[in-house]
Amino acid sequence: MRALLRDPSALLGAVLVAGFLLLCAAGPWIAPYPADATGAIHFALKLRPPSAAHWFGTDEMGDDIFSRVVIGARTSLWVGLAITGIAVAIGAPLGILAGFLGGRVQTAIMRVTDVFLCVPGLVLALAIVAALGPGLGHGVAALAAVWWPGYVRLLEAKALALREAVFVEAAHATGATTPRVLLRHVAPNCLGPLIVKASMDMGFAILAAASLGFIGLGARPPAPEWGAMMAVARNYMPDWWWYSLAPGAFVFATVLGFNLLGDGLAAWLDPRSQR
Amino acid sequence: MIRFLARRLAFLLLSLAGLVVLTFVISHVAPADPATLAAGPDATAGMIAAIRHQYGLDRPLPVQFLLYVEALARLDLGHSVATGHAVAADLAVYLPATLELVLLAMGFAVVAGVALGIFAAIRRGGIADHAARILAVSGIAVPAFWIALILQLLFSVHWRLLPIGGQLPVAVAPPRPLTGMVILDALLRGRPAVATTALVHALLPAFVLALPCLASILRITRQEMIEVLAAHYVRTARAQGVAPLRVVTRLALRNAMVPILAMIGLRFGFMLGTTVLVETVFDWPGLGLYAVTSATSADFAPVMGATLAIGVLFMLATLAVDVLYALADPRLRVS
């Protein structure tokens, strides 16, 4: 833990992620006008520049942008958790099975994975959302559907290496069954790379969901989702330029935080990778 | 090498078949009703039933799949409700625009990423190295749509240096299509002024598209170069008096090339995905914008067409990278 904190970029990552989690936990208390996040209307206040009363200005409904951005953190948190969680739940077992069992199981799993990996994720997600219809839930489902193959690839390689490990051989020799070897010896040793990737993917999943929101296929206004806010803000460029700054900056800080944290975790779990 | 290519082509065909199955599943098996989607938002129940029959959507799934493959083989990707054209004809117009943008962005990302990566590795621990590290970590985390809007604000609105979007000003007649890529066509048709204008329009979108890719290439180049420069054969070469520049370019870079190429291949797909965002912000008439405008207006056939086109483009790029690998490292040809 101390080694993690000595690395300045990992520390910055931890601080950014902690700040993000604080917004998620205490958003309604931090936001000065929590009602503005649910689509309150104050036309008298619309499109005001940043001021002491409204730090990031107000939007076209007169809502406080700071409040909306702060409360929007929760949406991003559950979006990130849902996409990464589903991807891990599907991808991790398949990857471990493919790498550990080999043979036809491996071939079958890896061929299906390869197909998913041959279309850029965001494009495939866009196609799926187009088929399902726009909306945040569909966006999350589509992104989860394109996200799991990365975990299969990662853990297949890891399990393949573990299959030859001496302690796995020893477990087999003492009469452990295959499910027991998988659960007690292989899976725990896959946790390191899994945690690193999941940490980074939290950020990238949030970015991808915001991207879908930005092109109008994810969350819909007035939901306080960062990408969807940017989509509306874009219509008020360039005269009301401040509108689009805050939501994007929060996406940036969050993605950067999870990324640096993942990097720090990777260096900590595998000291050889430190340079 | 020939066996390697044959095996690689067989894999390409397999992936292509997989892609066709995948798009079929999305468009025919997913909960959405393809007839409703194909009929467009304003269709009546009768029109939907007619379309269902016309496209064979009332037949069993395996038959539908054969019909789908047969239509694909004829390059029949359906019609766009919005443009009124056949999707294949639309793709032929939009694909070159995306390809041009992506090639510009990739060229810039590779040159700048490798150069900065080498520089950071040589000046390890210095200010340049720290600056490179900040660029590397922030470049992949920054939302493309956000940085695009900020650059538009600065360069197009505030300083009025660069155009805010589009491929050419309305007043400028585009060159007669040859390849479909405007800059290249303008040069080929002997209109350098038009080529320059088009290039200026491409600067901001290409930069935004290049940024995450540049960051990853910078990072991996730095990492590999630090490792290779510490190797014994590099030290030996230095001791023998080989010129420093030659050591870096001939010995070190060549040996660091395979991981860098791998990163380029990986990032190409990501870049194709990002065109969806960048083309939307910069109003760039390519596949990404086509897919987005179609998807947001429930115009389904163009979305699937663009998905197929981008998938095929990505497969070809992966193939090209694999061939480059094999050229850079003979050991990979046998495994």
Side-chain angles (χ1 to χ4, degrees):
Chain A
M1 196 67 196
R2 200 172 291 161
L4 193 61
L5 294 181
R6 254 204 308 271
D7 175 3
S9 66
L11 185 65
L12 175 64
V15 168
L16 287 173
V17 170
F20 170 70
L21 293 177
L22 180 72
L23 289 187
C24 296
W29 294 278
I30 296 174
Y33 311 92
D36 287 9
T38 51
I41 295 171
H42 324 280
F43 280 132
L45 293 170
K46 78 176 199 186
L47 295 167
R48 295 279 177 85
S51 64
H54 302 281
W55 292 358
F56 298 159
T58 62
D59 66 11
E60 78 285 1
M61 298 294 175
D63 290 336
D64 180 46
I65 295 176
F66 177 65
S67 299
R68 289 177 57 76
V69 166
V70 164
I71 289 180
R74 274 189 192 181
T75 309
S76 288
L77 177 69
W78 92 251
V79 160
L81 283 176
I83 296 171
T84 316
I86 298 172
V88 169
I90 301 175
L94 285 178
I96 293 177
L97 281 178
F100 192 75
L101 297 179
R104 284 193 187 152
V105 178
Q106 183 184 23
T107 313
I109 293 177
M110 295 320 288
R111 284 300 83 83
V112 175
T113 305
D114 285 342
V115 169
F116 274 85
L117 288 172
C118 73
V119 186
L122 193 57
V123 176
L124 192 55
L126 186 140
I128 297 176
V129 177
L132 297 175
L136 187 59
H138 288 163
V140 168
L143 286 169
V146 303
W147 219 280
W148 60 267
Y151 287 92
V152 179
R153 272 277 172 89
L154 177 78
L155 294 181
E156 184 230 13
K158 183 74 188 167
L160 204 59
L162 284 171
R163 191 165 68 163
E164 313 297 333
V166 179
F167 65 88
V168 170
E169 208 178 318
H172 275 305
T174 55
T177 57
T178 303
R180 186 182 161 87
V181 172
L182 274 174
L183 273 178
R184 298 298 295 269
H185 300 279
V186 177
N189 280 290
C190 290
L191 269 182
L194 184 70
I195 291 172
V196 170
K197 182 166 166 57
S199 162
M200 295 199 172
D201 278 353
M202 271 299 288
F204 290 130
I206 289 171
L207 178 58
S211 302
L212 281 184
F214 180 73
I215 55 183
L217 292 173
R220 284 302 181 79
E225 194 271 332
W226 294 338
M229 288 176 73
M230 292 279 303
V232 180
R234 190 176 158 235
N235 301 326
Y236 294 92
M237 290 271 288
D239 294 336
W240 295 277
W241 53 267
W242 61 84
Y243 188 174
S244 59
L245 287 189
F250 275 66
V251 178
F252 180 36
T254 308
V255 181
L256 187 65
F258 279 110
N259 227 309
L260 293 175
L261 187 67
D263 255 359
L265 285 172
W268 178 58
L269 289 166
D270 181 12
R272 274 168 307 174
S273 74
Q274 261 175 333
R275 295 174 209 275
Chain B
M1 191 67 191
I2 289 173
R3 277 190 61 191
F4 168 81
L5 275 179
R7 212 170 35 226
R8 203 51 199 71
L9 280 175
F11 180 71
L12 182 81
L13 289 178
L14 209 66
S15 318
L16 197 61
L19 176 64
V20 169
V21 174
L22 190 63
T23 51
F24 174 78
V25 169
I26 294 174
S27 55
H28 289 69
V29 188
D33 176 21
T36 315
L37 289 169
D42 306 318
T44 62
M47 284 162 74
I48 293 172
I51 283 178
R52 195 185 306 278
H53 187 70
Q54 186 192 339
Y55 288 100
L57 294 169
D58 44 4
R59 319 262 287 267
L61 272 182
V63 179
Q64 285 189 38
F65 181 68
L66 290 178
L67 287 171
Y68 179 71
V69 174
E70 190 236 0
L72 281 184
R74 284 184 283 115
L75 284 182
D76 176 6
L77 300 169
H79 276 74
S80 159
V81 178
T83 66
H85 301 148
V87 170
D90 278 344
L91 291 181
V93 175
Y94 297 126
L95 187 105
T98 293
L99 197 58
E100 182 167 58
L101 191 60
V102 166
L103 288 178
L104 276 174
M106 192 47 98
F108 172 67
V110 170
V111 172
V114 169
L116 290 173
I118 293 176
F119 192 66
I122 296 173
R123 299 282 167 86
R124 194 180 172 193
I127 293 176
D129 190 17
H130 285 295
R133 192 165 176 197
I134 291 172
L135 180 64
V137 292
S138 50
I140 53 167
V142 70
F145 49 87
W146 184 63
I147 196 77
L149 288 174
I150 290 179
L151 291 177
Q152 272 183 337
L153 264 178
L154 290 177
F155 285 90
S156 311
V157 178
H158 193 68
W159 295 322
R160 299 181 180 280
L161 288 172
L162 292 171
I164 196 155
Q167 211 174 8
L168 272 180
V170 188
V172 176
R176 269 190 306 127
L178 207 63
T179 62
M181 299 191 219
V182 171
I183 300 175
L184 193 61
D185 283 353
L187 286 174
L188 291 173
R189 299 276 185 201
R191 296 171 65 189
V194 176
T196 314
T197 314
L199 185 64
V200 168
H201 278 72
L203 284 181
L204 280 184
F207 177 78
V208 174
L209 208 51
L211 201 56
C213 189
L214 189 163
S216 316
I217 294 177
L218 191 170
R219 193 178 159 143
I220 191 107
T221 305
R222 175 185 175 275
Q223 226 171 61
E224 291 299 321
M225 286 301 282
I226 285 175
E227 199 161 288
V228 175
L229 284 173
H232 289 306
Y233 64 87
V234 170
R235 199 180 56 181
T236 309
R238 281 203 173 120
Q240 284 176 335
V242 177
L245 186 68
R246 205 181 153 83
V247 169
V248 168
T249 54
R250 285 297 172 83
L251 283 168
L253 187 58
R254 217 184 146 165
N255 279 284
M257 214 56 228
V258 167
I260 297 174
L261 275 174
M263 181 56 82
I264 293 172
L266 202 68
R267 279 286 153 182
F268 191 85
F270 184 82
M271 189 182 270
L272 281 174
T274 315
T275 57
V276 161
L277 303 169
V278 173
E279 289 182 0
T280 302
V281 176
F282 289 104
D283 204 18
W284 185 270
L287 284 180
L289 183 61
Y290 183 56
V292 169
T293 44
S294 305
T296 46
S297 54
D299 193 0
F300 195 59
V303 180
M304 294 320 294
T307 306
L308 271 170
I310 290 177
V312 170
L313 209 56
F314 184 29
M315 279 180 205
L316 292 176
T318 315
L319 176 69
V321 168
D322 280 0
V323 171
L324 286 176
Y325 266 10
L327 291 175
D329 189 343
R331 280 168 299 183
L332 292 175
R333 280 176 225 165
V334 282
S335 69

Coordinates of all heavy atoms in Angstrom, one line a residue, chain B residues 26-100:
Chain B
I26 N -27.5 -9.6 -34.9 CA -27.9 -8.3 -34.4 C -29.2 -7.8 -35.1 O -30.1 -7.3 -34.6 CB -26.8 -7.3 -34.5 CG1 -25.6 -7.6 -33.6 CG2 -27.3 -5.9 -34.2 CD1 -24.4 -6.7 -33.8
S27 N -29.2 -8.0 -36.4 CA -30.3 -7.4 -37.2 C -31.5 -8.3 -37.3 O -32.6 -7.9 -37.6 CB -29.8 -7.1 -38.6 OG -29.2 -8.2 -39.3
H28 N -31.4 -9.7 -37.1 CA -32.5 -10.5 -37.3 C -33.0 -11.2 -36.0 O -34.2 -11.6 -35.9 CB -32.2 -11.6 -38.3 CG -32.1 -11.1 -39.7 ND1 -31.1 -10.3 -40.2 CD2 -32.9 -11.3 -40.8 CE1 -31.3 -10.0 -41.4 NE2 -32.4 -10.6 -41.8
V29 N -32.1 -11.5 -35.1 CA -32.4 -12.3 -33.9 C -32.6 -11.4 -32.7 O -33.4 -11.8 -31.8 CB -31.4 -13.4 -33.7 CG1 -31.8 -14.3 -32.6 CG2 -31.1 -14.2 -34.9
A30 N -31.9 -10.3 -32.7 CA -32.1 -9.4 -31.5 C -33.6 -9.0 -31.4 O -34.3 -9.1 -32.3 CB -31.2 -8.1 -31.8
P31 N -33.9 -8.6 -30.1 CA -35.4 -8.3 -29.8 C -36.0 -7.4 -30.8 O -37.2 -7.5 -31.1 CB -35.3 -7.7 -28.5 CG -34.0 -8.0 -27.9 CD -33.1 -8.4 -29.0
A32 N -35.3 -6.5 -31.4 CA -35.9 -5.5 -32.4 C -36.5 -6.3 -33.6 O -35.9 -7.3 -34.0 CB -34.9 -4.5 -32.8
D33 N -37.6 -5.8 -34.1 CA -38.2 -6.4 -35.3 C -37.6 -5.7 -36.6 O -37.7 -4.5 -36.8 CB -39.7 -6.1 -35.3 CG -40.3 -6.7 -36.5 OD1 -39.7 -7.5 -37.2 OD2 -41.5 -6.2 -36.8
P34 N -36.8 -6.5 -37.4 CA -36.1 -5.9 -38.5 C -37.1 -5.3 -39.5 O -36.7 -4.3 -40.2 CB -35.4 -7.1 -39.1 CG -35.9 -8.3 -38.5 CD -36.5 -7.9 -37.2
A35 N -38.3 -5.8 -39.6 CA -39.2 -5.3 -40.6 C -39.6 -3.9 -40.2 O -39.7 -2.9 -41.0 CB -40.5 -6.1 -40.8
T36 N -39.9 -3.7 -38.9 CA -40.3 -2.4 -38.3 C -39.1 -1.4 -38.5 O -39.3 -0.3 -38.9 CB -40.6 -2.5 -36.8 OG1 -41.4 -3.6 -36.6 CG2 -41.3 -1.3 -36.3
L37 N -37.9 -1.9 -38.3 CA -36.7 -1.1 -38.4 C -36.5 -0.7 -39.9 O -36.2 0.5 -40.2 CB -35.5 -1.8 -37.9 CG -35.4 -2.0 -36.4 CD1 -34.3 -2.9 -36.0 CD2 -35.2 -0.6 -35.7
A38 N -36.7 -1.7 -40.8 CA -36.4 -1.4 -42.2 C -37.5 -0.5 -42.8 O -37.2 0.4 -43.7 CB -36.4 -2.7 -43.0
A39 N -38.7 -0.6 -42.2 CA -39.8 0.3 -42.8 C -39.6 1.7 -42.4 O -40.2 2.6 -43.0 CB -41.1 -0.3 -42.3
G40 N -38.8 2.0 -41.3 CA -38.6 3.4 -40.9 C -39.7 3.8 -39.9 O -40.6 3.1 -39.6
P41 N -39.5 5.0 -39.3 CA -40.3 5.4 -38.2 C -41.8 5.7 -38.5 O -42.6 5.5 -37.7 CB -39.6 6.7 -37.7 CG -38.7 7.1 -38.8 CD -38.4 5.9 -39.6
D42 N -42.1 6.0 -39.8 CA -43.5 6.4 -40.1 C -44.3 5.4 -40.7 O -45.4 5.7 -41.3 CB -43.5 7.7 -41.0 CG -42.6 8.8 -40.3 OD1 -42.7 9.0 -39.1 OD2 -41.8 9.4 -41.0
A43 N -43.9 4.1 -40.7 CA -44.5 3.1 -41.5 C -45.9 2.6 -40.8 O -46.0 2.7 -39.6 CB -43.6 1.9 -41.6
T44 N -46.8 2.2 -41.6 CA -48.1 1.6 -41.1 C -47.9 0.1 -41.0 O -46.9 -0.4 -41.5 CB -49.2 1.9 -42.1 OG1 -48.9 1.2 -43.3 CG2 -49.4 3.4 -42.4
A45 N -48.9 -0.5 -40.3 CA -48.8 -1.9 -40.1 C -48.8 -2.7 -41.4 O -48.0 -3.7 -41.6 CB -50.0 -2.4 -39.2
G46 N -49.5 -2.2 -42.4 CA -49.6 -2.9 -43.7 C -48.2 -2.8 -44.4 O -47.7 -3.8 -44.9
M47 N -47.6 -1.7 -44.3 CA -46.2 -1.5 -44.9 C -45.2 -2.5 -44.3 O -44.4 -3.1 -44.9 CB -45.7 -0.1 -44.8 CG -46.4 0.9 -45.7 SD -46.2 2.6 -45.1 CE -44.5 2.8 -45.5
I48 N -45.3 -2.6 -42.9 CA -44.4 -3.4 -42.2 C -44.6 -4.9 -42.6 O -43.6 -5.6 -42.9 CB -44.6 -3.3 -40.7 CG1 -44.2 -1.9 -40.2 CG2 -43.8 -4.4 -39.9 CD1 -44.5 -1.6 -38.8
A49 N -45.9 -5.3 -42.8 CA -46.2 -6.7 -43.2 C -45.6 -6.9 -44.6 O -45.1 -8.0 -44.9 CB -47.7 -6.9 -43.1
A50 N -45.8 -5.9 -45.5 CA -45.3 -6.1 -46.9 C -43.8 -6.2 -46.9 O -43.2 -7.1 -47.6 CB -45.7 -4.9 -47.7
I51 N -43.1 -5.4 -46.1 CA -41.7 -5.5 -46.0 C -41.2 -6.9 -45.4 O -40.3 -7.5 -45.9 CB -41.1 -4.3 -45.2 CG1 -41.1 -3.1 -46.1 CG2 -39.7 -4.6 -44.7 CD1 -40.7 -1.9 -45.4
R52 N -42.0 -7.3 -44.4 CA -41.7 -8.6 -43.8 C -41.7 -9.7 -44.9 O -40.8 -10.5 -44.9 CB -42.7 -8.9 -42.7 CG -42.3 -10.0 -41.7 CD -43.4 -10.3 -40.8 NE -43.9 -9.2 -40.1 CZ -43.3 -8.7 -39.0 NH1 -42.2 -9.2 -38.5 NH2 -43.8 -7.6 -38.4
H53 N -42.7 -9.6 -45.7 CA -42.8 -10.7 -46.8 C -41.7 -10.5 -47.8 O -41.0 -11.4 -48.2 CB -44.2 -10.6 -47.4 CG -44.4 -11.8 -48.3 ND1 -44.5 -13.1 -47.9 CD2 -44.5 -11.8 -49.7 CE1 -44.7 -13.9 -49.0 NE2 -44.6 -13.1 -50.1
Q54 N -41.5 -9.2 -48.2 CA -40.6 -8.9 -49.3 C -39.2 -9.4 -49.0 O -38.4 -9.9 -49.8 CB -40.6 -7.4 -49.5 CG -39.7 -7.0 -50.7 CD -39.5 -5.4 -50.7 OE1 -40.3 -4.7 -50.1 NE2 -38.4 -5.0 -51.4
Y55 N -38.7 -9.2 -47.7 CA -37.4 -9.6 -47.3 C -37.3 -11.0 -46.7 O -36.3 -11.4 -46.2 CB -36.8 -8.6 -46.2 CG -36.5 -7.2 -46.9 CD1 -37.3 -6.2 -46.7 CD2 -35.3 -7.1 -47.6 CE1 -37.0 -4.9 -47.3 CE2 -35.0 -5.9 -48.2 CZ -35.9 -4.8 -48.0 OH -35.5 -3.6 -48.6
G56 N -38.4 -11.7 -46.8 CA -38.4 -13.1 -46.3 C -38.3 -13.2 -44.8 O -37.9 -14.2 -44.3
L57 N -38.8 -12.2 -44.1 CA -38.6 -12.2 -42.7 C -39.7 -13.1 -42.0 O -39.7 -13.3 -40.8 CB -38.7 -10.8 -42.1 CG -37.5 -9.9 -42.5 CD1 -37.8 -8.5 -42.2 CD2 -36.2 -10.4 -41.9
D58 N -40.7 -13.6 -42.9 CA -41.7 -14.5 -42.3 C -41.2 -16.0 -42.5 O -41.9 -16.9 -42.2 CB -43.0 -14.3 -42.9 CG -43.0 -14.1 -44.4 OD1 -41.8 -14.2 -45.0 OD2 -44.0 -13.8 -45.1
R59 N -40.0 -16.1 -43.0 CA -39.5 -17.5 -43.2 C -38.6 -17.9 -42.0 O -38.3 -17.1 -41.2 CB -38.6 -17.5 -44.5 CG -39.1 -16.7 -45.7 CD -39.8 -17.5 -46.7 NE -39.0 -18.3 -47.5 CZ -38.5 -17.9 -48.7 NH1 -38.7 -16.6 -49.1 NH2 -37.8 -18.7 -49.4
P60 N -38.3 -19.3 -41.9 CA -37.5 -19.7 -40.8 C -36.1 -19.0 -40.8 O -35.6 -18.6 -41.9 CB -37.3 -21.2 -41.0 CG -38.3 -21.6 -42.1 CD -38.7 -20.3 -42.8
L61 N -35.5 -18.9 -39.6 CA -34.2 -18.2 -39.5 C -33.1 -18.7 -40.4 O -32.4 -17.9 -41.0 CB -33.7 -18.3 -38.0 CG -34.2 -17.2 -37.1 CD1 -33.6 -17.3 -35.7 CD2 -33.9 -15.8 -37.6
P62 N -32.9 -20.1 -40.5 CA -31.8 -20.5 -41.4 C -32.0 -20.1 -42.8 O -31.1 -19.7 -43.5 CB -31.9 -22.1 -41.3 CG -32.5 -22.3 -40.0 CD -33.5 -21.2 -39.8
V63 N -33.3 -20.0 -43.3 CA -33.6 -19.6 -44.6 C -33.2 -18.1 -44.7 O -32.6 -17.6 -45.7 CB -35.0 -19.8 -45.0 CG1 -35.3 -19.3 -46.4 CG2 -35.4 -21.3 -44.9
Q64 N -33.7 -17.3 -43.7 CA -33.4 -15.9 -43.6 C -31.9 -15.7 -43.7 O -31.4 -14.7 -44.4 CB -33.9 -15.3 -42.3 CG -35.4 -15.1 -42.3 CD -35.8 -14.3 -41.0 OE1 -35.1 -13.4 -40.7 NE2 -36.8 -14.7 -40.4
F65 N -31.1 -16.5 -43.0 CA -29.6 -16.3 -43.0 C -29.1 -16.5 -44.4 O -28.3 -15.7 -44.9 CB -29.0 -17.3 -42.1 CG -27.5 -17.2 -42.0 CD1 -26.9 -16.0 -41.4 CD2 -26.6 -18.1 -42.5 CE1 -25.5 -15.8 -41.4 CE2 -25.2 -18.0 -42.5 CZ -24.7 -16.8 -41.9
L66 N -29.6 -17.6 -45.1 CA -29.1 -17.8 -46.5 C -29.5 -16.6 -47.4 O -28.7 -16.1 -48.2 CB -29.7 -19.1 -47.1 CG -29.1 -20.3 -46.4 CD1 -29.8 -21.6 -47.0 CD2 -27.6 -20.4 -46.6
L67 N -30.7 -16.1 -47.2 CA -31.1 -14.9 -48.0 C -30.2 -13.7 -47.7 O -29.8 -13.0 -48.6 CB -32.6 -14.5 -47.7 CG -33.7 -15.5 -48.2 CD1 -35.0 -15.1 -47.6 CD2 -33.7 -15.4 -49.7
Y68 N -29.9 -13.6 -46.4 CA -29.0 -12.5 -46.0 C -27.6 -12.6 -46.6 O -27.1 -11.6 -47.2 CB -28.9 -12.5 -44.5 CG -28.0 -11.5 -43.8 CD1 -28.4 -10.1 -43.8 CD2 -26.8 -11.8 -43.2 CE1 -27.6 -9.2 -43.2 CE2 -26.0 -10.8 -42.6 CZ -26.4 -9.5 -42.6 OH -25.6 -8.6 -42.0
V69 N -27.0 -13.8 -46.6 CA -25.7 -14.0 -47.2 C -25.8 -13.8 -48.7 O -24.9 -13.1 -49.3 CB -25.2 -15.4 -46.9 CG1 -23.9 -15.7 -47.6 CG2 -25.0 -15.6 -45.4
E70 N -26.9 -14.2 -49.3 CA -27.0 -14.1 -50.8 C -27.1 -12.6 -51.1 O -26.4 -12.1 -52.1 CB -28.2 -14.8 -51.2 CG -28.3 -15.0 -52.7 CD -29.6 -14.4 -53.3 OE1 -30.4 -13.9 -52.4 OE2 -29.8 -14.4 -54.5
A71 N -27.8 -11.8 -50.3 CA -27.9 -10.4 -50.6 C -26.6 -9.7 -50.4 O -26.2 -8.9 -51.2 CB -29.0 -9.8 -49.7
L72 N -25.8 -10.1 -49.4 CA -24.5 -9.5 -49.1 C -23.6 -9.8 -50.3 O -22.8 -9.0 -50.7 CB -23.9 -10.1 -47.8 CG -24.4 -9.5 -46.5 CD1 -23.6 -10.2 -45.4 CD2 -24.2 -8.0 -46.5
A73 N -23.7 -11.0 -50.8 CA -22.8 -11.4 -51.9 C -23.1 -10.5 -53.1 O -22.2 -10.3 -53.9 CB -23.0 -12.9 -52.3
R74 N -24.3 -10.1 -53.3 CA -24.7 -9.1 -54.4 C -24.4 -7.7 -54.0 O -24.8 -6.8 -54.7 CB -26.1 -9.3 -54.8 CG -26.4 -10.6 -55.6 CD -27.9 -10.6 -56.0 NE -28.8 -11.0 -54.9 CZ -29.7 -10.2 -54.4 NH1 -29.9 -9.0 -54.9 NH2 -30.5 -10.7 -53.4
L75 N -23.8 -7.5 -52.8 CA -23.5 -6.2 -52.2 C -24.8 -5.4 -52.0 O -24.8 -4.2 -52.1 CB -22.6 -5.4 -53.1 CG -21.1 -5.7 -53.0 CD1 -20.3 -4.8 -53.9 CD2 -20.6 -5.7 -51.6
D76 N -25.9 -6.2 -51.8 CA -27.2 -5.5 -51.5 C -27.3 -5.4 -50.0 O -27.5 -6.3 -49.3 CB -28.3 -6.4 -52.1 CG -29.7 -5.8 -51.7 OD1 -29.7 -4.7 -51.1 OD2 -30.7 -6.5 -52.0
L77 N -27.1 -4.2 -49.5 CA -27.1 -3.9 -48.1 C -28.4 -3.2 -47.6 O -28.5 -2.7 -46.6 CB -25.9 -3.1 -47.6 CG -24.5 -3.7 -47.9 CD1 -23.4 -2.7 -47.7 CD2 -24.3 -4.9 -47.1
G78 N -29.4 -3.2 -48.5 CA -30.6 -2.5 -48.2 C -30.6 -1.0 -48.6 O -29.6 -0.6 -49.2
H79 N -31.6 -0.3 -48.2 CA -31.7 1.1 -48.6 C -31.7 2.0 -47.4 O -32.2 1.6 -46.3 CB -33.0 1.4 -49.4 CG -32.8 1.1 -50.8 ND1 -32.7 -0.2 -51.3 CD2 -32.6 1.9 -51.9 CE1 -32.5 -0.2 -52.6 NE2 -32.4 1.1 -53.0
S80 N -31.2 3.2 -47.5 CA -31.2 4.2 -46.4 C -32.5 5.0 -46.6 O -32.8 5.5 -47.7 CB -30.0 5.1 -46.5 OG -30.3 6.3 -45.8
V81 N -33.3 5.0 -45.5 CA -34.5 5.8 -45.6 C -34.2 7.3 -45.7 O -34.8 8.0 -46.5 CB -35.3 5.6 -44.3 CG1 -36.6 6.4 -44.3 CG2 -35.7 4.1 -44.1
A82 N -33.1 7.7 -45.0 CA -32.8 9.2 -45.0 C -32.2 9.7 -46.3 O -32.7 10.7 -46.9 CB -31.8 9.4 -43.9
T83 N -31.3 9.0 -46.9 CA -30.7 9.4 -48.2 C -31.4 8.9 -49.4 O -31.3 9.5 -50.5 CB -29.2 9.0 -48.3 OG1 -29.1 7.6 -48.4 CG2 -28.4 9.5 -47.1
G84 N -32.2 7.8 -49.2 CA -32.9 7.3 -50.3 C -32.1 6.5 -51.3 O -32.5 5.9 -52.3
H85 N -30.8 6.4 -51.0 CA -29.9 5.6 -51.8 C -29.7 4.2 -51.3 O -30.1 3.9 -50.2 CB -28.5 6.2 -51.9 CG -28.5 7.6 -52.3 ND1 -27.6 8.6 -51.9 CD2 -29.3 8.3 -53.2 CE1 -27.8 9.7 -52.5 NE2 -28.9 9.6 -53.3
A86 N -29.2 3.3 -52.2 CA -28.7 2.0 -51.7 C -27.6 2.2 -50.7 O -26.7 3.1 -50.9 CB -28.3 1.1 -52.9
V87 N -27.6 1.4 -49.6 CA -26.5 1.6 -48.6 C -25.2 1.4 -49.2 O -24.2 2.1 -48.9 CB -26.8 0.6 -47.4 CG1 -25.6 0.6 -46.5 CG2 -28.1 1.0 -46.7
A88 N -25.0 0.4 -50.1 CA -23.7 0.1 -50.7 C -23.2 1.4 -51.5 O -22.0 1.7 -51.4 CB -23.8 -1.1 -51.7
A89 N -24.1 2.1 -52.1 CA -23.7 3.3 -52.9 C -23.3 4.4 -51.9 O -22.3 5.1 -52.1 CB -24.8 3.8 -53.8
D90 N -24.0 4.5 -50.8 CA -23.6 5.5 -49.8 C -22.3 5.2 -49.2 O -21.4 6.1 -49.0 CB -24.7 5.5 -48.6 CG -25.9 6.3 -49.0 OD1 -25.8 7.1 -49.9 OD2 -26.9 6.2 -48.3
L91 N -22.1 3.9 -48.9 CA -20.8 3.5 -48.3 C -19.6 3.8 -49.2 O -18.6 4.2 -48.8 CB -20.8 2.0 -48.0 CG -21.7 1.5 -46.9 CD1 -21.6 0.0 -46.7 CD2 -21.4 2.2 -45.6
A92 N -19.8 3.6 -50.5 CA -18.8 3.9 -51.5 C -18.4 5.4 -51.4 O -17.2 5.8 -51.7 CB -19.2 3.5 -52.9
V93 N -19.3 6.3 -51.0 CA -19.0 7.7 -50.9 C -18.3 8.0 -49.6 O -17.4 8.8 -49.5 CB -20.3 8.5 -51.1 CG1 -20.0 10.0 -50.8 CG2 -20.9 8.3 -52.4
Y94 N -18.9 7.4 -48.5 CA -18.4 7.8 -47.2 C -17.1 7.1 -46.7 O -16.4 7.6 -45.9 CB -19.5 7.5 -46.1 CG -20.7 8.4 -46.4 CD1 -22.0 7.8 -46.5 CD2 -20.6 9.8 -46.5 CE1 -23.1 8.6 -46.8 CE2 -21.7 10.6 -46.8 CZ -22.9 10.0 -46.9 OH -24.0 10.8 -47.1
L95 N -16.9 5.8 -47.2 CA -15.8 5.1 -46.8 C -14.5 5.8 -47.1 O -13.6 5.9 -46.3 CB -15.8 3.7 -47.4 CG -14.7 2.8 -46.9 CD1 -15.3 1.7 -45.9 CD2 -14.0 2.0 -48.0
P96 N -14.3 6.3 -48.3 CA -13.0 7.0 -48.6 C -12.7 8.2 -47.7 O -11.6 8.4 -47.3 CB -13.1 7.4 -50.1 CG -14.2 6.6 -50.7 CD -15.1 6.3 -49.5
A97 N -13.8 8.9 -47.3 CA -13.6 10.1 -46.5 C -13.1 9.6 -45.1 O -12.2 10.3 -44.5 CB -14.9 10.8 -46.3
T98 N -13.6 8.5 -44.6 CA -13.2 8.0 -43.3 C -11.7 7.5 -43.4 O -10.9 7.8 -42.6 CB -14.1 6.9 -42.8 OG1 -15.4 7.5 -42.5 CG2 -13.5 6.2 -41.6
L99 N -11.5 6.8 -44.5 CA -10.2 6.2 -44.7 C -9.1 7.3 -44.8 O -8.0 7.2 -44.2 CB -10.2 5.4 -46.0 CG -9.1 4.4 -46.2 CD1 -9.1 3.4 -45.0 CD2 -9.2 3.6 -47.5
E100 N -9.4 8.4 -45.5 CA -8.5 9.5 -45.6 C -8.2 10.1 -44.2 O -7.0 10.3 -43.9 CB -9.1 10.6 -46.5 CG -8.2 11.7 -46.7 CD -8.7 12.6 -47.9 OE1 -9.8 13.1 -47.8 OE2 -7.9 12.8 -48.9

